[in-house]
Amino acid sequence: MVLRLLARHVRIPKGRPSGHRFLSNNGPTPARRRVGLVAAAIAVGSSPLFLMSTVQADSGDQALASGPSKASRLRDLLRTYIVYTMCQSETLVDNSPKLLSILTSIPGVKQVTEALVRITFFNQFVGGDTADETVPLLNDLRAMNIGTLFAYSVEVDENEATAEREQAAKRNGGLPTYKRSVEEMIRCIDVAADFEDGILGSTPVGRRTWVAIKMTALLPDAKALVHLSQAIIDSRKKSPIPFPGCPQRTDLDVLYGPTPTKIMAPEDVEALRDLHGDLVQICRRAKERGVRIIIDAEYSWYQPAVDAFQTSLMREFNKLDGKGSVQPLIYGTYQAYLRRTPLNLVQSFAEAEAGGYALGVKLVRGAYHPHEIAAHIGRPKSISISPDELPPVWLQKDDTDRCYNECAKVLVGKIKEDIRRAKAQRVGVLFGTHNWTSSKLILKELVATGLGKSVGGEPESDLVVQLGDEVTERLTFGQLYGMSDALTDYLVKHTRSNAPMIIKYVPYGALSDVMPYLGRRAIENKSVLGNGAAAEERRRAGYEIKKLLFG
């Protein structure tokens, strides 16, 4: 199967073009070189070299100092080449969740499928089976001046029947999947804190191992969030701000009021109140251990409920009372492809100022654009709950890019303003982006506003920026683990700071549990891997393989 998929991307000409200035009559053609790389990938893919774990369990200080061996480097590059060749197949990507579900349901085939997934996609995009097993990777990344955003990526299947959930709960000692996720997130916070304590001691400055939370994974049925979102929208006054609107202080009244709305069934209310309690428990441990919490964004039909919970958590745990060692502790995710985002940012800063709490912002473009458009078109039969005529998202990618860049400028300005006030930190920003233009724009803005100092490179295209602690505590870049390593390397080389300025989003979880994440992530990341990005990742891996083997 791998051979067929890779071969699909190899073009062997019928005849050799004569006189081409880039081709030697005696040397290998580009097509033949690609065949050689594919053949090498297939051969190594079945060898002990490739079957070795991506992260060695005995990665100690000596290993970090010497760097990865040539064999392990070759293994990783070959895996990257194979994975991104597969990612160029839209048919494979679009059907990956269904394919994985079918193949892992067949005895015998299940084991083979899981073995292949482990040595390819799992090792490329997932840090390990457990938080502890991921620590060597955290060490490797920190040695390269890169931090980590930890994410336990076991997800609840919304289509799973209640009886199946109960059986699964019995198999797991009585705890359903979503409750195990709560316990694991608390465990993850402790691992992150222990890792940072080992590097920095008890100092709150420069801690770059954070933890991500996805609310839909913390409920028995994520539809409860849709019902709460609908109840919240119905309770608000009509607003010109596009759906899903902006969070209000009173949003959770529909959950805790004396007369709960009819939209939510009693089991919804019980599950959502339980979720709120679990979130508080997670954030309380994060505050005790000095670990920042990043709340992931969701589809727009979940977002009003997610906004309500995260605003409540910010008001409690980001309070500027002098008692918290790390601020802001809680970050919410703002998706630039939502038409509401510029106004939502403005209102969020105003609410934080009035409420006396720090605002944590993770700015991303957004991963669900095709699903948002399809759901909006399919109303009223679809899951969309938007009352607006237009979809919640911008129709053109150029509009999303423009929105992201304008929001980035606003956020850099807010950081400048916060530092000038010279009081308790009120702003924290994580720029989640795989976009070169946006990344370079942010570096230029840092210099233009005086937050950074140019210490090398070309001002228009290749700045090297020196940043002080007051900036690095307020601003970080982030990319997904296994993706956009060229951009990550560029940002590491073009920033100078005491603490890492770049973090990698590193998911972890047992292979069988992470399968749904890998399938969904493949589809969600089409926006990142599209427009030739997957081909570029493969091209870069191929170049590095050639360089490693032939110099």
Side-chain angles (χ1 to χ4, degrees):
M1 178 181 176
V2 173
L3 178 61
R4 288 200 302 272
L5 287 169
L6 291 173
R8 187 182 299 174
H9 297 277
V10 179
R11 300 288 182 265
I12 303 177
K14 293 181 180 179
R16 177 184 298 166
S18 60
H20 196 293
R21 64 190 182 98
F22 292 116
L23 299 178
S24 165
N25 288 335
N26 298 318
T29 66
R32 284 177 179 171
R33 283 196 294 270
R34 290 176 69 185
V35 170
L37 286 171
V38 171
I42 298 300
V44 178
S46 59
S47 74
L49 171 71
F50 195 75
L51 293 172
M52 291 168 60
S53 171
T54 302
V55 180
Q56 300 301 313
D58 59 351
S59 295
D61 294 339
Q62 185 176 355
L64 290 178
S66 62
S69 67
K70 183 175 180 180
S72 67
R73 176 68 176 152
L74 177 60
R75 179 198 63 221
D76 292 347
L77 287 169
L78 288 169
R79 184 193 63 236
T80 299
Y81 189 88
I82 292 172
V83 166
Y84 281 106
T85 299
M86 291 181 177
C87 285
Q88 286 188 267
S89 169
E90 286 199 18
T91 300
L92 180 64
V93 170
D94 288 339
N95 291 284
S96 56
K98 186 182 297 183
L99 283 170
L100 288 174
S101 178
I102 293 172
L103 293 173
T104 55
S105 67
I106 304 172
V109 176
K110 176 180 186 293
Q111 288 73 19
V112 175
T113 301
E114 290 184 346
L116 288 173
V117 170
R118 177 174 287 279
I119 64 174
T120 53
F121 288 90
F122 184 91
N123 285 346
Q124 182 71 25
F125 298 118
V126 180
D129 289 83
T130 68
D132 288 319
E133 288 180 11
T134 309
V135 170
L137 174 61
L138 270 60
N139 272 310
D140 290 346
L141 290 172
R142 186 59 65 91
M144 295 184 286
N145 203 27
I146 299 170
T148 303
L149 177 55
F150 242 165
Y152 180 57
S153 294
V154 174
E155 301 180 4
V156 175
D157 187 346
E158 296 176 27
N159 298 316
E160 188 183 36
T162 302
E164 292 172 331
R165 281 200 207 104
E166 291 174 352
Q167 290 173 8
K170 290 178 182 178
R171 289 195 302 271
N172 294 304
L175 276 181
T177 300
Y178 69 97
K179 281 298 184 182
R180 285 191 293 126
S181 295
V182 173
E183 289 192 349
E184 182 58 37
M185 285 181 182
I186 293 173
R187 167 67 181 154
C188 180
I189 289 168
D190 287 335
V191 172
D194 290 343
F195 177 78
E196 290 296 330
D197 289 346
I199 297 173
L200 300 170
S202 59
T203 177
V205 178
R207 303 176 79 86
R208 286 297 187 277
T209 307
W210 304 349
V211 171
I213 289 178
K214 195 170 184 66
M215 287 193 198
T216 49
L218 303 180
L219 281 163
D221 189 342
K223 289 186 178 66
L225 284 174
V226 181
H227 300 157
L228 176 57
S229 291
Q230 183 66 71
I232 288 172
I233 293 300
D234 291 347
S235 71
R236 292 178 185 168
K237 295 179 181 179
K238 189 171 179 61
S239 168
I241 298 175
F243 178 84
C246 296
Q248 309 292 327
R249 298 183 190 183
T250 57
D251 281 346
L252 285 183
D253 288 354
V254 298
L255 182 59
Y256 290 104
T259 54
T261 175
K262 294 180 180 179
I263 295 173
M264 292 187 291
E267 55 266 29
D268 290 334
V269 174
E270 181 182 358
L272 291 163
R273 290 178 178 176
D274 192 38
L275 168 65
H276 195 186
D278 287 337
L279 290 170
V280 169
Q281 182 185 8
I282 290 168
C283 294
R284 188 174 292 130
R285 178 64 66 89
K287 183 176 182 178
E288 292 170 357
R289 300 302 311 270
V291 175
R292 285 187 166 97
I293 296 294
I294 314 297
I295 298 175
D296 281 347
E298 305 275 3
Y299 292 103
S300 65
W301 41 90
Y302 298 130
Q303 206 57 50
V306 172
D307 289 343
F309 284 124
Q310 79 180 20
T311 301
S312 173
L313 294 171
M314 283 189 191
R315 294 177 69 84
E316 180 175 355
F317 292 97
N318 290 3
K319 198 75 174 175
L320 299 172
D321 54 10
K323 297 179 181 178
S325 60
V326 173
Q327 286 296 356
L329 186 76
I330 312 299
Y331 283 58
T333 300
Y334 291 71
Q335 299 161 292
Y337 74 178
L338 289 178
R339 295 186 298 114
R340 70 156 184 178
T341 296
L343 292 173
N344 188 27
L345 264 181
V346 171
Q347 180 167 311
S348 294
F349 276 108
E351 285 289 326
E353 180 75 23
Y357 61 90
L359 184 68
V361 176
K362 174 188 171 189
L363 182 67
V364 300
R365 276 173 166 75
Y368 311 118
H369 192 277
H371 305 279
E372 293 284 355
I373 294 294
H376 192 81
I377 292 173
R379 296 177 306 167
K381 294 182 179 180
S382 73
I383 197 171
S384 173
I385 60 172
S386 171
D388 297 352
E389 181 179 350
L390 290 173
V393 295
W394 302 107
L395 296 179
Q396 303 297 326
K397 186 180 183 299
D398 286 348
D399 293 324
T400 296
D401 291 338
R402 189 178 304 110
C403 181
Y404 189 98
N405 292 339
E406 290 303 316
C407 288
K409 292 178 182 178
V410 168
L411 290 168
V412 171
K414 289 292 184 181
I415 292 172
K416 172 74 172 179
E417 178 185 330
D418 192 46
I419 293 174
R420 189 175 65 244
R421 294 169 70 166
K423 295 181 180 179
Q425 182 176 333
R426 292 173 173 266
V427 179
V429 180
L430 169 57
F431 289 112
T433 181
H434 296 83
N435 186 285
W436 285 79
T437 300
S438 295
S439 298
K440 290 182 177 181
L441 179 145
I442 293 165
L443 292 181
K444 288 175 64 176
E445 283 295 306
L446 290 171
V447 173
T449 56
L451 292 173
K453 179 182 178 182
S454 175
V455 292
E458 296 295 328
E460 293 302 316
S461 61
D462 207 33
L463 278 174
V464 178
V465 183
Q466 178 77 45
L467 299 161
D469 291 346
E470 72 280 2
V471 177
T472 59
E473 283 304 297
R474 292 170 169 85
L475 186 152
T476 311
F477 290 91
Q479 288 95 41
L480 294 168
Y481 175 63
M483 297 179 63
S484 299
D485 287 342
L487 176 58
T488 302
D489 294 344
Y490 175 89
L491 290 170
V492 169
K493 292 175 182 177
H494 286 76
T495 54
R496 302 285 186 270
S497 58
N498 291 326
M501 277 294 295
I502 298 90
I503 63 177
K504 281 289 197 180
Y505 186 105
V506 178
Y508 75 91
L511 175 62
S512 58
D513 293 332
V514 173
M515 285 283 210
Y517 166 85
L518 289 171
R520 275 189 272 277
R521 183 57 85 181
I523 294 175
E524 292 167 8
N525 286 346
K526 283 176 67 177
S527 60
V528 178
L529 295 174
N531 298 319
E536 177 58 26
E537 292 278 1
R538 187 194 64 181
R539 186 206 64 77
R540 180 171 176 262
Y543 172 80
E544 292 294 333
I545 291 169
K546 178 186 174 185
K547 184 178 176 181
L548 193 64
L549 292 176
F550 307 112

